[in-house]
Amino acid sequence: MRLRALLDTDALGLRLLGGEGELDRTVRGVMTTDLRDPSRYLSGGELVLTGLAWRRDAADSEPFVRLLVQAGVVALAAGEAELGDVPEDLVVACARHRLPLFAVHESVAFATITEHVVRQVSGERAGDLAAVVDRHRRMMTSGPAGGGPDVVLDLLGSDLDLRAWVLSPTGRLIAGPKVAGPGLPADVCAKLAAEHLAAARTGRRGPHRVTLGSSVYSLFPVRSSGRSPQASRDVRETVLSDWLLAVEADAGDWPEERLDLLQGVTQLIAVERDRRDAARTVRRRLAQEVLELVQTGAAPAEIAARLRVAAPVLLPGLGAAPHWQVVVAKVEWQDTDLEGGPVAQSLLEEILVDPSAMGPEPSDRIAVAHTGDEAIALVPLPAVSAEHDGTETGILADALLDSVRDPLSSGLDDDGRVTLGVSAAVHSAEGLRGALEEARHARRVAAARPGRVCAAGHQELASHVLLLPFVPDDVRRAFTARLLDPLRDYDRRHRAELIPTLEAFLDCDGSWTRCATRLHLHVNTLRYRVGRIEQLTSRDLSRLEDKLDFFLALRMS
C-alpha cells in the first residue's frame, strides 16, 4: 500500500506535516518504537510510529531521523498525546532528510494504525485475515477491556477450528482461548517453549513442528511490530524475549494463504506485546533512578523518597511497600560482544511476572533496570514473614530456577549462560544498598556452578559474606595481609596494577576475554598479570577455593 492511501483514510487521524512529494512510497510494514536508536529492528519499508519519549531536547531529532532514513524507513508518524503539537525541530529534520512526517491525533491509538497497515499489506494474500481484523479491531485497540489476544485466539477456534496459545520464552501461558475446553498444562507449555527456543537458535524460520504425545503443534514466533526475522543482527539479541504462538495443528501441509493468516495473527498479537512493553517504561525508569541513587551512595532519606514514589506505582492501592527485595540477572554469551544488559532486563521482567498480582498487568509489581551486562530488579513485597522452621515468603532462588531452567537451557544452547542472585528482604532504604550487594554476590556464587541456568539466594551467603562483619579485626588484617600485601608491594614498586586486575578478573567470573576487554588489555598481558598474582601468593586462580579467598580478602580490606 502507498502512503497516500493512509493519508486518505479519515479513521487513522493522520495529518501531513511534510513530505508531500513522497506520498507514493510503498509501505511494507509498521513498527512502534520510542527507542533512541531503533535501527537494529528495522528492515526497510516501514512506517514508524513514535510517542516521542526518546526526545529529551531539540538536538535529539536530527540523529533519530537520520537513523530512520539510513534503515530505509518510508515515513514517520508522531503522536500528539505526549507533547501536544509535534516539535518544530522534528519537522525540520524530516524535511532535511526528505522523510514524510505525519501527526497522529491524540484520540487515535497506534494499534489502530498498525492493524490497518497489517490488514492492507496482508489482505491481498489472506482474505480471511482481513475478516478477522475487521470483526475484532475494536477489541484489540481497546486494550485489556476489549479482550486482548485472547479474543483473536477465540476467533481462530470459532472461525478456523484451530486451538492456539501465546507463550513466553520461559513457558508461561500469556493468553489462551477463553471458550470452554481443556487448557494447556504447565509442563506442555514449558516443553513447547524449550522446543521453540532450540529451533530459533538454529536459525530456521517458523513455523516449527513439534510432537508431544499424541498432539502435533506448530510454533510461530511473535516478534515486535514491524521487525522481520532479518532485522536483528544476531538471533541471541531476542531469542530469550520473543513470545511464540503455539497452534495445535500441523502447518506443514497448509496452503500459503493459511500460513499468511497465522503470520498476520502473530503481528496482531505483537501489538499487544508492544503495548505491554510500553507500560513497563515508567517502572523501568523508577528502577533506574533508585539504582543510580543506591550506587552513587546517596543519602538514605533521598532513596526513601524515591521508594515512596515507586511503591504506589508498583503496588497500586497499598500506598507503601513494607519490604523490598533485589534480584540480579546476567546473560552471557561466548565469543561475542553482544550487550547483555538489555537482554537480561527483558528476561528478568518475564521471569518475575506475578500472575496473581492485582492490576491491568501481571508485571505491575516489578521494576527492572540494567547497568552494564547485568539487570537489577527492584521488587516490592506487601508483606514478608520468616517462620521458625526456616520457611520464608517473597522471592526464592530455587523457585525461580525451577520455573525457567529447562526452557531457557534450550535457548542458551552451548554458548550462553543465565545466572541469577536473590537478596533477602529489607524493610528500609538503608538496607537497599546491602541488598543489592547481597544479590550480586549470590549471582557470583551461582556463576561458579555448572549448568546453563543457575541461581543462588541470600541463604547461601551466610557462610561468608554475611559473617564478615563478625570476624575479629586482627583476623581480618592477618588474612588480607597474607593474600594482598605481596600484590600491593609489587604494585608500589612496579606500577603493575595487580590489585585492580584481580578485582576485575573475579568480577568477570574468571573469563579471560571479558576481563581483558574491560581492562583494555591483550589477553596475553592479562595472563601474565594473573600468573604474577599466582606466583606472588602461591595460589591458583583456576581453583574455586582460591578465588573465594581472594574475594573475601578484597571484601575485608
Side-chain angles (χ1 to χ4, degrees):
M1 66 177 302
R2 299 187 184 278
L3 288 174
R4 193 180 304 279
L6 288 175
L7 190 61
D8 292 340
T9 304
D10 294 338
L12 299 184
L14 296 177
R15 179 165 51 90
L16 185 64
L17 300 181
E20 185 174 1
E22 308 292 333
L23 292 180
D24 286 328
R25 293 183 179 184
T26 300
V27 179
R28 294 195 295 270
V30 61
M31 176 187 181
T32 300
T33 184
D34 274 314
L35 295 174
R36 295 172 68 85
D37 179 7
S39 56
R40 70 174 63 183
Y41 304 117
L42 297 167
S43 57
E46 293 93 351
L47 166 68
V48 169
L49 309 174
T50 180
L52 300 175
W54 51 266
R55 182 185 178 275
R56 298 174 182 173
D57 54 46
D60 291 337
S61 292
E62 170 65 25
F64 180 78
V65 172
R66 183 171 62 252
L67 288 170
L68 296 186
V69 172
Q70 291 172 350
V73 168
V74 298
L76 175 65
E80 296 179 322
E82 183 72 18
L83 301 178
D85 292 338
V86 176
E88 183 63 25
D89 49 90
L90 183 59
V91 177
V92 172
C94 288
R96 182 181 299 115
H97 291 278
R98 298 181 61 188
L99 181 68
L101 175 63
F102 300 97
V104 182
H105 193 270
E106 62 180 358
S107 64
V108 179
F110 282 174
T112 301
I113 300 173
T114 297
E115 291 159 7
H116 179 82
V117 172
V118 169
R119 183 174 71 250
Q120 294 300 318
V121 171
S122 304
E124 296 177 359
R125 301 189 306 271
D128 47 357
L129 172 61
V132 169
V133 177
D134 281 337
R135 287 177 54 189
H136 294 271
R137 180 163 61 92
R138 181 189 61 81
M139 296 182 181
M140 287 295 294
T141 56
S142 60
D150 297 310
V151 176
V152 178
L153 302 184
D154 279 339
L155 268 176
L156 290 178
S158 61
D159 289 15
L160 303 175
D161 197 26
L162 291 175
R163 299 179 69 224
W165 302 265
V166 179
L167 306 177
S168 78
T170 64
R172 179 175 65 89
L173 181 62
I174 295 170
K178 293 182 178 179
V179 296
L184 200 61
D187 62 329
V188 174
C189 292
K191 290 176 182 177
L192 290 176
E195 294 285 349
H196 167 72
L197 291 174
R201 285 305 308 274
T202 67
R204 291 187 288 115
R205 296 185 61 187
H208 309 300
R209 184 181 184 276
V210 175
T211 300
L212 295 180
S214 59
S215 299
V216 178
Y217 300 88
S218 296
L219 309 180
F220 295 79
V222 176
R223 300 183 174 91
S224 296
S225 299
R227 180 165 62 82
S228 71
Q230 293 77 30
S232 178
R233 294 187 296 269
D234 193 317
V235 68
R236 291 174 294 187
E237 291 180 324
T238 57
V239 68
L240 299 181
S241 58
D242 280 343
W243 289 359
L244 67 138
L245 175 67
V247 181
E248 191 176 12
D250 186 353
D253 56 356
W254 282 2
E256 193 68 27
E257 292 79 7
R258 178 62 63 89
L259 288 173
D260 283 344
L261 164 63
L262 267 295
Q263 294 292 354
V265 169
T266 64
Q267 293 183 48
L268 293 179
I269 296 171
V271 173
E272 176 69 8
R273 169 66 188 272
D274 291 343
R275 187 186 66 79
R276 295 189 184 189
D277 283 346
R280 289 175 173 170
T281 301
V282 173
R283 297 191 288 275
R284 287 177 173 178
R285 186 178 300 120
L286 286 171
Q288 196 71 45
E289 290 174 356
V290 173
L291 176 62
E292 289 175 359
L293 290 174
V294 171
Q295 294 192 131
T296 56
E302 187 176 359
I303 299 174
R306 294 308 303 163
L307 291 179
R308 285 195 294 272
V309 173
V313 176
L314 303 179
L315 291 175
L318 296 184
H323 296 87
W324 299 87
Q325 264 184 295
V326 175
V327 182
V328 173
K330 196 169 188 178
V331 177
E332 301 171 279
W333 304 102
Q334 296 176 4
D335 304 321
T336 181
D337 58 354
L338 286 177
E339 186 180 359
V343 178
Q345 181 182 45
S346 296
L347 180 60
L348 194 52
E349 287 173 333
E350 173 54 44
I351 291 174
L352 295 178
V353 162
D354 180 5
S356 66
M358 300 299 292
E361 301 297 347
S363 57
D364 275 345
R365 291 187 176 181
I366 59 175
V368 186
H370 72 83
T371 175
D373 286 334
E374 68 180 8
I376 301 169
L378 186 65
V379 184
L381 303 174
V384 173
S385 64
E387 304 296 339
H388 294 297
D389 62 359
T391 60
E392 182 179 323
T393 58
I395 297 173
L396 302 177
D398 290 344
L400 284 184
L401 185 61
D402 290 343
S403 66
V404 301
R405 177 169 43 204
D406 291 341
L408 292 185
S409 295
S410 298
L412 294 164
D413 198 14
D414 60 353
D415 63 344
R417 290 199 78 198
V418 171
T419 49
L420 301 163
V422 182
S423 79
V426 296
H427 66 276
S428 66
E430 289 86 348
L432 206 55
R433 181 177 180 84
L436 174 58
E437 290 301 313
E438 191 174 68
R440 282 174 164 162
H441 292 321
R443 193 207 63 77
R444 292 191 181 101
V445 170
R449 296 170 175 167
R452 291 292 164 194
V453 185
C454 299
H458 63 93
Q459 303 92 336
E460 301 174 66
L461 303 181
S463 62
H464 50 277
V465 174
L466 295 185
L467 294 180
L468 290 182
F470 302 99
V471 177
D473 288 343
D474 56 339
V475 176
R476 293 161 65 98
R477 284 192 296 268
F479 182 75
T480 58
R482 185 169 62 251
L483 280 178
L484 301 183
D485 279 1
L487 306 182
R488 291 172 176 144
D489 291 340
Y490 191 90
D491 281 349
R492 277 195 298 268
R493 287 184 281 112
H494 301 281
R495 298 182 180 179
E497 296 187 339
L498 295 186
I499 292 291
T501 300
L502 175 62
E503 292 174 332
F505 188 76
L506 294 177
D507 193 51
C508 291
D509 301 323
S511 169
W512 297 99
T513 303
R514 287 189 288 110
C515 184
T517 300
R518 176 181 293 189
L519 296 175
H520 305 290
L521 296 175
H522 191 278
V523 173
N524 289 341
T525 303
L526 176 61
R527 291 185 184 277
Y528 172 80
R529 289 188 182 181
V530 171
R532 179 63 68 184
I533 292 171
E534 294 174 333
Q535 181 183 30
L536 291 170
T537 60
S538 299
R539 296 298 185 106
D540 182 358
L541 276 167
S542 66
R543 298 177 69 246
L544 177 59
E545 294 87 348
D546 288 342
K547 286 181 182 177
L548 183 57
D549 281 349
F550 277 120
F551 168 74
L552 292 173
L554 290 168
R555 284 283 294 165
M556 290 191 294
S557 63

